[in-house]
Amino acid sequence: MTKSYMKRLSFALLDAVTDKDPVVQEQVCSALCSLGEVRPTEMLHACEEYLKQHDKLAHPYRAMVLRAMETVLTSHIHKLDKDTASTIILLASSEMTMTKEPGCDWQQAASSVLVAVGKRFTNQVMEEVLSRFQPGHLPHCSVLQTLSSLSLSNAFGIVPFLPSILSTMLPMLGMAKQDSMRMMFCCALQHFSESTLEYLANLDQVPDPTVRRDTFAADIFSAYDILFHQWLQTRDAKLRLAVVAALGPMSHLLPSEKLEEHLHKLLPGVLGLYKKHAETFQISKSLGQILEAAVSLSSRTLEVQLDTLLAVLHSQVCVPVESSSPLVMGSRNEVLRCFTVLARCSPDRLLAFLLPKLDTSNERLRVGTLHILRHIINSAAAQMEAKKPLVLSSMKLPLLDTNNKVKRAVVQVISAMAHHGYLEQPGGEVMIEYIVGQCALPPEQEPEKRNLEGEALAAEDSVQAVSISTLYLVSTTVDRMSNVLWPYLLEFLIPVRFTAALTPLCRSLVHLALKRQEAGADTLLVQCNTHTNIPSPYAVTTRLLVVSSSPYLGSGRGAASLRLLKVLKQNIHPLLTQQWETTMPPLLEYLDEHTEETLPLKKWEEKLLMFLRETLAVVSDNTWICQLSLEMCKQLPCYNGMPQEKNFLYKCIGTTLGAAASKGVVRKHLQELLETARYQEEVEHEGLACCFGICAISHLEDTLAQLEDFVKSDVLKKSSGIFSIFKDRSEHEVEKVKSALILCYGHVAAQAPRSLVLAKVESNILPNMFHCFNNKVLGIKVETKVFLQDPALKLSLIQSLCMVSQTACSGAQPGSFHFSKKAELVAQMMEFIRAEPTDSLTTPLRKKAMLTCTHLISLEPALEAQAQADVIHGCLHSVMALLPEPQKEDDGCQEPLYLGTMRALEDLLTRLLQWNMTPQGLQVIVEHLSPWIKSPRGHERARALGLSALLLHYFLEHLHISALVPFHNLGFLIGLFAPRCADLWPATRQEAVDCIHSLLYLQLGYEGFSREHHDEVAEKLLTLRDKLIHADPNILFHICNNIAQIIAKRLPPDQLISLLLTMFESLGDPDKNCSRAAAVMINCLLKERGTILKEKVPEIVNVLHSKLQEVHEEHILPAAQQSMYCLASQHCTTVVSSLLGRPLPFDSHTCALWRALAVEPSLTAQVLGLLLEKVSGDVPFKESRAFLLGSTPDRVATLLPLAATCALYEVMSAAESGTAVLELYPQLFVALLLRVSCTLGVQLPRNLQAKERRGASTTLHSRSLEPCSSAVDALQALLLRGGSQDVVQFMEQEGGWELLRTSTGHEEGVTQLASAMAKCAGPRLPLVTKVLLSTQSSVYEIHRVTSTAFLAELLSSNVVNDLMLLESLLDELLARQKDWSASVRRLVLRGLANIASSSPDKVRTYGPQLLTAMINGLDDNDDPHRLVALEAMVGLTRLLDLMEPWDLRSVLLHMAIRIRPFFDSEKVEFRTTSIRLFGHLNKACQGDCEDIFLEQVVGGLVPLLLHLQDPQAPVASACRFALCMCVPNLECAELTTTFQKHLQESRSLHFGEFLNSTCKLLIHHFPDLLGRLVSTNLFYFKSSWEGVRAAAPMFTGFLVLHAEPEQRLQVDLEQLLVALQLLLRDPTPGVREKAAETLGRLVKFA
């Protein structure tokens, strides 16, 4: 029986091996292996029998079966008996030789089976294989392959057979005519030779140590003769490679004399193959083996062949590699290994061949030779020791090569040399210099970034990167290089060409220096007199300090340079040791804290200059300082083209000269600087000027004297001076010199001591500056043609004048300095400013000029009024008209040049205001700003308002009132700024409020209030200011109204008419927002202060009426709405009737008039009451004739209720209608809600449909006239106006309003509305509910559905308890259970279940009634869609946990039985709800589960576990819950723990792992359930869901896996086996895979 069963299992799986899906095939093979794990012998016999019976089975499938057999044999070969082994051997041998087609997977698999068996049953396998390996007959190719594989896998067992095998094989070689057969012989000979060599190398471990090399020599030579002389000459490339692959290991077994004899043919023969094959790995590998064999016998023939050999091998290395595959790279390595072999036997001849190749200009030859040289330096170090000088001398030409590939190879060779002592030889310094030079390569000079394979190189593989890495590694890891590199590397610090290499140089030097410090304190000191080429301490200090000014260039050269300086402190000066130990670390920390993007460069330079000053102070040696300054001046030309570093060096020179005590040295160096400066480079002017300014701090007289001498010299004349070497020197070059000299004077004035420099301003500094500036250009005086001046010269003059004037006014009393040239200088500055273009800002000229004017204005004497006006007008015109300033991506930071220019203008206007701090002085400036404030261009308005706010704030902060005087122009100023509170630009709006705020406080100041007075009314403006950021016009105008109220409270009566007249002008403002704001503010002022304008009212009304008549702008209409209120107060009914008679849809004017009726609460209540009567008093729709004839329903809205609904919306949209809306809230809410429901799907009359379409295309009205949408809009307006904004917001967030408008979502929308009302408008519900209950008997079904849905949802909120509504609502719903509408009955059940949420404590009280209602719902058969039953299940799920146990006991079984069919429903909601209810039923009876209900638990276990794989996530989640509730009733603690661990909602479920654990526990604790569980699973083998269908066999498999063999009687194995076989034909691969897996586990019952 067992054999038959195992056979059926195996055959079932073997039948499935032909599955088309590779995953299923793999699983079938895995299942077969599982059978073999338990019963290897039976499985192998079954496979053997199957293959015999199915001799037509396709080869790929036979191969799969054989591979499965091989797997089992590999693992269980020790369990195999001799008879079975014999059977398998015969099968595999037969399969292997069944067909003569060579090389198929099937034969390979059969051969592998034999190899697996041969590991234990060597003799039997060899006997069978050798029986098919008979003398005189060519064997099957697979026989040779098997012998070959056996020799590799079991060398110790097979080698003793090789003599007889070889003796049989040798005659066959001549019989082999087909190339494929010959290749098999070659492969066999290769593996036989390799196995023999392994055997001979381990004679101490082999079974027969008597085997010797000579045993095989004759046979191998005979085979060699055929392979080399016959087969190697074939045209077949694969055969040639096979031959050469065999010749390599065979050469070690050839007799020595034969190898020597044939070597002169063998080597050329192998070398010749390089020309015939692109794939050369086997050739190179075999060549290496042959060379090793030849070298081992000290062959003389090799010496003769050496030149040819080297030439061919060299060409192989020089061939470009086209791929980086392991095979290609392996071939290259094998060639290099050949060179290693040759280097060890003939190093002289090898170098004699290689080194001349380095002199070639051919890139490939040179790169290849360098690779070989590097390899032999590393691999043949002993043989190359004496050749070091020769190798070094041969590198001269490669060092000059500019090709990047050659450079990279040279660097690699130098690295190898460093490790083996080459660089310690004479000439090694050249190699080091080469490495440093490559470290200095700029990246842009490396366009080709390709490796030897032609692929793109990473940045770290560039020549520079490789060189940097090599230098650092050599410095830090090669100890013998320390004395070579130190102090030699110091020579490379100063030359400019090595600048890019400074970072790696400094790092290496620091490491070397620290190493020497550790060896001994004195070893670090470098004696310059003994090392003549080593730079001086002054040169090193200057160089490292200057390059540190750009610290992040060159991968962080700043930190590296400073660290080197710190290490060299003893060499720089002995006194600096302690000082630099203290000052250097903070500098390094500062660099670590920043990046290139965040480092403030100016601050960093200041830190470095402070470091230099402190260093000079510590040294305090004039000779040393003078020597340092001399070195600094010498290095200046080195930084041409590096403006940042050069300017910093200028500052260092100025700092050093300032510390020098020798005036002669100072003047000499200053003279040299002036003579050698590169004036054509404008960026150098600043550095030179800074140098003179810093020097003037200590040497003012000498600095000015030197500058004056230079100015008065012939340098500025055309035909002489330092430029006399240029025959045609242009005037432009002279102006560059002038520009620099002027800038020098400015910096001297700015930095020299003020007390000393003021005496020199008018007597020395200014005359010399203007002497440079006022030279003739083309015979025309510059001061009359400013625009012809060189821009750089003008900018230098302005900048210098700015510094001079700033110095003059920077003292404690700036006015004490009388500047006689003030007016002329101001006029000159204004001329410069007016010459600038007004449409662009490209230079800081106007900014500097305005700053100069600002400083000059502070000085005596004062400017005349006209001059001040010219300054204000000119500067405003130059700056305000500029195009909008550029914004960056984050819309935050503006261009620094623009910001600086604006700040200069602000300072200038503020300084002018200081001279006349009166209302008149303020108005003068504001009047200049007025055209810009009203400009149609937003950016101009924004600038003007910003300036105005700044000036008003300054005026207020510096206000001093000596006598009470009126602020006579307050009305005009406020009228100018107030409309701008609604400007299109948010910043402008806020600036306008700031202006008004300052003006109100100015008025309070003029009224006598102190500056500290805090006015609550005025302060409200600041709160409103923050709200002006909103772009919503309604919000803006509301804020403007509030601003107007504040103005009305603080404005003096005599200023009101002035303010109004000014604001009337703003009604025509081009900015419509400002025009509207003016209207709003005018109305507010009239309302608040109209009583004092009694005589002016007619005039004002006439103005407003005329604006309304024109009707060009809609915002004028609200200004007249107060009049409309008066009219409606007298004729309410008439007004309402007439407005309702207006054509639909209402136009904008009609809507505005409706909103005008909401001004006063009592009037609004009257209007709303009348509109309610119109909405409810007529039928909502009429049914068309087509509907009456029986076709599709077509409902058309009636006009009067529709118009009343639209009117309700307009009235309630007005903010003033709130009080009246609250009074009629319940009636309005219910009426509009039912209006929404009864207009679902209702259409407009045809005439209105056409109007609606036209309106939509012409935008005549903003809202839709569609009946339902208009009702929803009105309901929203009611809620908003009734204080229920949270309800509206909640509905918007949840999409409730859209749901209300649709027939399919209306019910859900009503539910959301009720929920929102309960949460956000609870106090309004009693009255709303009372009105709503009265509609339950409505003749319209939709009314009953809507009201029931609303009431049902209310019962889910606790508010029904707070408001004592529970009993009335519950009674009403219970009374509706028999409603003829299924929707109403369903909603009744939902409402009853909602009590669980709102009143859980009441559930037990009403338990029987609730339970009865739910059971009736389960039994409701009048609903064809069973939605009532679904609602009942949902309700029971919510109520069960709250009910009394005795109420449930009698119905638990009934409910379980009724819901069980829904577990496998096609509808996901039914499956989810029924399964979750089943969980609650189990939860309800935990600890007291009757046996009859326990049967339901056990019966539901399988479907619940399987539905964990349900395609719908809610179903799977419900199953998790239900299983966790079921498991306690099984009273198995381990199972409960497993379920709680795996089925947590927050945890992802590994279904296979969980099911495995569950089955293990079920079988262990409930062994009698096996049959029932398996039979239930069989039902789901036919499930319509793939996931469930795949889970069922998996479930079964795990049950079988953990069952005991004796439990097999519970399972109908026949039925199960048939079912699984059917599943193996399932269309889904995943199902077939699980079926195969389960079949493999059924071996348990074998």
Side-chain angles (χ1 to χ4, degrees), residues 1121-1387:
Q1121 286 187 334
Q1122 190 66 29
S1123 300
M1124 292 301 302
Y1125 159 69
C1126 296
L1127 181 63
S1129 299
Q1130 300 170 28
H1131 309 285
C1132 180
T1133 304
T1134 307
V1135 168
V1136 169
S1137 298
S1138 61
L1139 287 177
L1140 283 175
R1142 299 285 298 174
L1144 289 174
F1146 294 144
D1147 59 25
S1148 58
H1149 297 124
T1150 306
C1151 294
L1153 293 175
W1154 276 117
R1155 289 192 292 273
L1157 303 181
V1159 175
E1160 197 273 326
S1162 60
L1163 173 63
T1164 308
Q1166 253 184 301
V1167 173
L1168 291 176
L1170 290 169
L1171 292 176
L1172 270 178
E1173 292 178 5
K1174 305 298 183 182
V1175 170
S1176 305
D1178 198 357
V1179 293
F1181 56 81
K1182 294 181 179 179
E1183 296 185 346
S1184 68
R1185 181 177 301 175
F1187 171 64
L1188 296 177
L1189 293 176
S1191 62
T1192 305
D1194 189 7
R1195 296 178 174 179
V1196 179
T1198 51
L1199 288 179
L1200 189 57
L1202 179 59
T1205 303
C1206 295
L1208 279 172
Y1209 171 82
E1210 298 300 338
V1211 173
M1212 291 187 295
S1213 295
E1216 298 85 353
S1217 65
T1219 304
V1221 168
L1222 291 176
E1223 181 181 342
L1224 297 173
Y1225 190 97
Q1227 296 86 344
L1228 287 167
F1229 182 85
V1230 173
L1232 290 173
L1233 178 60
L1234 297 182
R1235 172 71 184 171
V1236 171
S1237 67
C1238 67
T1239 54
L1240 289 171
V1242 174
Q1243 301 177 359
L1244 286 171
R1246 290 188 177 180
N1247 61 325
L1248 289 183
Q1249 289 179 14
K1251 281 190 175 183
E1252 178 81 355
R1253 288 193 293 270
R1254 289 197 301 273
S1257 62
T1258 58
T1259 321
L1260 290 176
H1261 60 287
S1262 60
R1263 294 191 308 110
S1264 171
L1265 191 60
E1266 193 270 325
C1268 188
S1269 293
S1270 62
V1272 171
D1273 292 342
L1275 182 58
Q1276 285 179 314
L1278 163 69
L1279 293 169
L1280 288 171
R1281 199 56 57 212
S1284 303
Q1285 292 89 344
D1286 292 340
V1287 176
V1288 177
Q1289 186 177 4
F1290 178 87
M1291 291 286 284
E1292 286 176 350
Q1293 292 173 350
E1294 300 297 326
W1297 297 122
E1298 292 302 320
L1299 291 172
L1300 275 177
R1301 290 181 171 92
T1302 62
S1303 299
T1304 55
H1306 177 73
E1307 185 182 304
E1308 178 62 23
V1310 173
T1311 301
Q1312 290 186 9
L1313 179 59
S1315 176
M1317 290 292 291
K1319 290 178 181 177
C1320 310
R1324 306 212 180 277
L1325 286 177
L1327 293 176
V1328 170
T1329 304
K1330 182 178 179 181
V1331 177
L1332 198 59
L1333 287 174
S1334 64
T1335 66
Q1336 284 289 289
S1337 58
S1338 172
V1339 296
Y1340 297 106
E1341 179 189 358
I1342 188 61
H1343 280 181
R1344 300 199 308 278
V1345 170
T1346 298
S1347 60
T1348 305
F1350 190 89
L1351 296 175
E1353 182 60 24
L1354 286 184
L1355 281 170
S1356 67
S1357 173
N1358 194 45
V1359 73
V1360 296
N1361 291 317
D1362 299 338
L1363 302 175
M1364 294 183 290
L1365 297 174
L1366 178 61
E1367 291 188 7
S1368 60
L1369 293 179
L1370 190 59
D1371 291 343
E1372 182 63 31
L1373 291 181
L1374 288 171
R1376 304 305 304 172
Q1377 286 187 80
K1378 300 300 181 182
D1379 195 286
W1380 63 267
S1381 170
S1383 296
V1384 174
R1385 297 199 303 275
R1386 174 174 52 80
L1387 291 169

Side-chain angles (χ1 to χ4, degrees), residues 216-324:
F216 308 95
D219 291 335
I220 291 296
F221 176 72
S222 299
Y224 161 81
D225 191 51
I226 294 173
L227 264 64
F228 182 75
H229 290 99
Q230 298 180 26
W231 293 3
L232 191 61
Q233 314 309 319
T234 182
R235 294 181 180 180
D236 186 275
K238 293 182 180 179
L239 177 56
R240 287 198 302 268
L241 288 177
V243 169
V244 78
L247 290 176
M250 287 171 63
S251 64
H252 287 272
L253 298 176
L254 289 174
S256 299
E257 66 279 1
K258 294 295 184 182
L259 177 60
E260 179 68 21
E261 178 184 345
H262 288 83
L263 199 59
H264 71 284
K265 296 180 181 179
L266 177 59
L267 286 175
V270 174
L271 292 175
L273 294 178
Y274 277 117
K275 298 179 180 179
K276 301 178 181 180
H277 292 270
E279 182 59 67
T280 61
F281 173 75
Q282 285 296 347
I283 301 172
S284 302
K285 182 180 178 181
S286 293
L287 181 60
Q289 293 171 325
I290 294 169
L291 290 176
E292 287 176 343
V295 169
S296 66
L297 57 88
S298 301
S299 170
R300 295 182 178 181
T301 306
L302 181 60
E303 293 290 330
V304 178
Q305 299 285 335
L306 194 58
D307 290 338
T308 304
L309 189 64
L310 288 171
V312 175
L313 289 174
H314 183 266
S315 66
Q316 287 301 307
V317 176
C318 296
V319 170
V321 180
E322 298 178 356
S323 171
S324 59

Side-chain angles (χ1 to χ4, degrees), residues 12 244 316 348 445 501 584 679 718 841 843 875 891 894 992 1268 1398 1401-1402:
V244 78
Q316 287 301 307
D348 292 326
Q445 289 188 9
M584 195 74 77
Y679 294 102
K718 186 173 181 180
L841 181 64
T843 69
C875 291
D891 201 27
Q894 299 165 334
C1268 188
S1398 63
D1401 54 323
K1402 302 290 186 181

Side-chain angles (χ1 to χ4, degrees), residues 475-479 482 510-520:
S475 304
T476 57
T477 62
V478 185
D479 292 336
S482 295
V510 167
H511 180 85
L512 293 168
L514 291 175
K515 187 186 294 186
R516 299 179 72 82
Q517 271 186 338
E518 293 172 2

